[in-house]
Amino acid sequence: MPGVTPDERAASRAHWLKAVGHARGPLPEDWLERRPELLRRTGFPRRPRIAPGDRLVLYASVWRCVFALAEATGEPEPRDHPRWPWTIAIEPLIVVPVLDAAPPVEAIGVAARSMSQQSHIRLRAEHYARAIEAIASIAA
């Protein structure tokens, strides 16, 4: 954003926990090898309030773990998909390539039940900071 300092941009950034996969369609353990497109776009059942620059913690719902950090790079866009009719372009920041190695969602201070029936929830900045630490310690 022209005329906006990096500190101002960071202060206005929202943080989200974004579910990927569901009970009838969980992610495979080797998701990065089999589903690399998950690092380019993510879907939603209704128009999300996520804006470009917001940060997402990707959550493997059946596995109950966090496996990537990403930045939203575009506005929500409609698409022709029965379950996820809205999509957002994302750019990966940190990735855990194998779900078995990913930290549990509780490691970032969020209970797994918080995501029950939710595609995404807003996180507080301290939860995002914990996600950085938890994922980076494994991804490094």
Side-chain angles (χ1 to χ4, degrees):
M1 290 181 267
V4 178
T5 69
D7 287 341
E8 290 171 327
R9 188 170 26 254
S12 68
R13 177 181 295 145
H15 305 95
W16 304 90
L17 183 61
K18 169 64 177 101
V20 181
H22 52 87
R24 292 188 312 269
L27 291 181
E29 180 179 5
D30 59 347
W31 70 274
L32 184 56
E33 184 177 310
R34 296 168 79 188
R35 305 271 318 271
E37 72 278 4
L38 294 174
L39 293 177
R40 293 189 298 274
R41 291 196 130 342
T42 190
F44 300 84
R46 60 190 166 281
R47 184 183 175 95
R49 291 180 291 195
I50 297 172
D54 284 359
R55 297 290 171 89
L56 286 74
V57 178
L58 301 184
Y59 167 74
S61 55
V62 174
W63 293 81
R64 296 183 172 196
C65 64
V66 291
F67 65 95
L69 302 178
E71 181 173 325
T73 59
E75 295 288 342
E77 300 174 6
R79 68 174 174 178
D80 187 25
H81 190 283
R83 187 177 178 107
W84 311 108
W86 288 91
T87 184
I88 290 181
I90 60 172
E91 180 178 324
L93 302 172
I94 305 174
V95 173
V96 177
V98 179
L99 291 178
D100 193 43
V105 68
E106 291 85 2
I108 71 168
V110 175
R113 70 180 174 275
S114 302
M115 290 301 289
S116 177
Q117 306 298 313
Q118 304 291 323
S119 67
H120 64 292
I121 60 171
R122 189 182 289 265
L123 292 175
R124 294 196 312 259
E126 60 264 25
H127 293 132
Y128 185 75
R130 289 177 73 175
I132 293 170
E133 290 177 21
I135 293 172
S137 72
I138 290 164

